[in-house]
Each structure stands twice: as structure tokens, then as C-alpha cells.
Amino acid sequence: MTVDQEQRLAPLWVAARTAAGQSADWADRAVREGRVRSALEREDVRVYLAERDGQPVGFAAVTASPLSGLGEESAVWIDQIYVTPGSRRRGVAKELLAAVATYADLRGVGQVTSCVPAGEKHTNRYFARLGFAAQVTVRSTPTRALHRRLGDDEQTSTTEEIVRRRRSLRERARHGLRHPEIEPETGA
């Protein structure tokens, strides 16, 4: 992708990230700091930009990689697809998806896959009408939260420790018990 194309993509990408719930400030900073450019320079990333009357109105960002880490079957993954609200229902997404399908053909790949957030009903219906079938439910969690849930987090966060102690104090107060760390035993 050329510098000009990157500059034409940037406002669309910021709009897409904002529509997905991230802050415009975060998205603008990602563009300014070169994170978007860095991603675009990767060999496995392709971006298709749709224009109407010389203005960018949508994009599709795709990667080519195996369907599974242990499998050999490759797929073209639609990482992001976005069309400006004023250009929707005018064939822009269809054009972008046609470019994605052509890219898959050129790579000799038999699958096109898209991860669509479960809450985006309209987008899910659109992909279903095009023949995309639900394959898996993707779930994610922060690494630290997983360690905590597995019970192997070596360092309990300060906030969690405070909450645990407060609950313990409330419970002890409710039952008239003293807390050994806070109320030392007086000699009798």
C-alpha cells in the first residue's frame, strides 16, 4: 500500500474502530504512531479500498493464513470490513468482497473466513446471506485474568486484595468477630 493509499485509508480505519467501540483518540494515535502502517507492511496483509467519486467509502483488510495452527488448509481471513454509513446498501461491500474472493482465487485458497462480532446482527445476517456459515464461537480473555481464574496468578492485584479484605471485614463485623491483622488481641 502506498503512502497516498494509507492516507486515504486512515480516516476510514479511525471511523471503523470508533464504530467498533474504541475511542477516536486511540485510533488516531495508532495511525500517528505508525501502528497501522506497520500492519499494512506485513507480507500477509492486504487492504482493498473502495472509492466513489474519488472519495474513499470503504475498505476490507484481509490476511492469508491457515484455518488452524495444526492444519494445512489455508484461508483468506477478512480481518476488517467497513463501509461508511452514507455508502451502505449501494454495493460497496459486495465490491470489496469480490476483491477478497479474487485474492483467494489467486492464492489458490478454497476458504474465505470472517470473524464477525456476535452482537452485530445486521453484519452477521449479511454474511449468512452470502453463504458464510458459523464455524466456531471465538472467546478471548486477558492473559492475567486467565492466570487468576486458573489459580496460578502469583501476584494478586492490589485492587482484588483490597476487595477481598473489605469483604472479610464486613463479614466479620456482621458476626461480631475481630480481624487479627487489624484488631490485635489484647492481653487478658
Side-chain angles (χ1 to χ4, degrees), residues 144-185:
R144 186 155 174 82
L146 180 59
H147 281 297
R148 188 173 53 252
R149 295 281 190 212
L150 293 171
D152 62 353
D153 191 9
E154 292 182 19
Q155 253 185 327
T156 305
S157 77
T158 306
T159 305
E160 289 176 28
E161 184 62 25
I162 290 169
V163 169
R164 186 190 64 75
R165 284 185 180 189
R166 283 183 183 160
R167 286 181 182 153
S168 175
L169 284 171
R170 281 190 213 123
E171 190 64 27
R172 288 175 176 276
R174 195 176 1 216
H175 296 294
L177 303 172
R178 58 182 180 73
H179 195 283
E181 294 175 21
I182 298 174
E183 303 169 19
E185 205 170 319

Side-chain angles (χ1 to χ4, degrees), residues 63-67 72-77 100-113:
T63 61
S65 65
L67 274 173
E72 293 184 25
E73 184 181 7
S74 288
V76 168
W77 292 80
V100 171
T102 300
Y103 175 61
D105 287 340
L106 291 172
R107 290 193 58 100
V109 172
Q111 292 279 333
V112 175
T113 304

Side-chain angles (χ1 to χ4, degrees), residues 39-91:
L40 294 174
E41 289 172 349
R42 288 185 17 216
E43 198 173 299
D44 63 328
V45 174
R46 285 259 201 275
V47 175
Y48 297 96
L49 193 59
E51 294 184 347
R52 290 283 189 256
D53 300 322
Q55 295 301 312
V57 294
F59 74 94
V62 299
T63 61
S65 65
L67 274 173
S68 163
L70 298 177
E72 293 184 25
E73 184 181 7
S74 288
V76 168
W77 292 80
I78 301 170
D79 182 57
Q80 294 179 38
I81 186 166
Y82 177 77
V83 176
T84 58
S87 297
R88 293 179 185 161
R89 298 191 164 293
R90 297 185 181 184

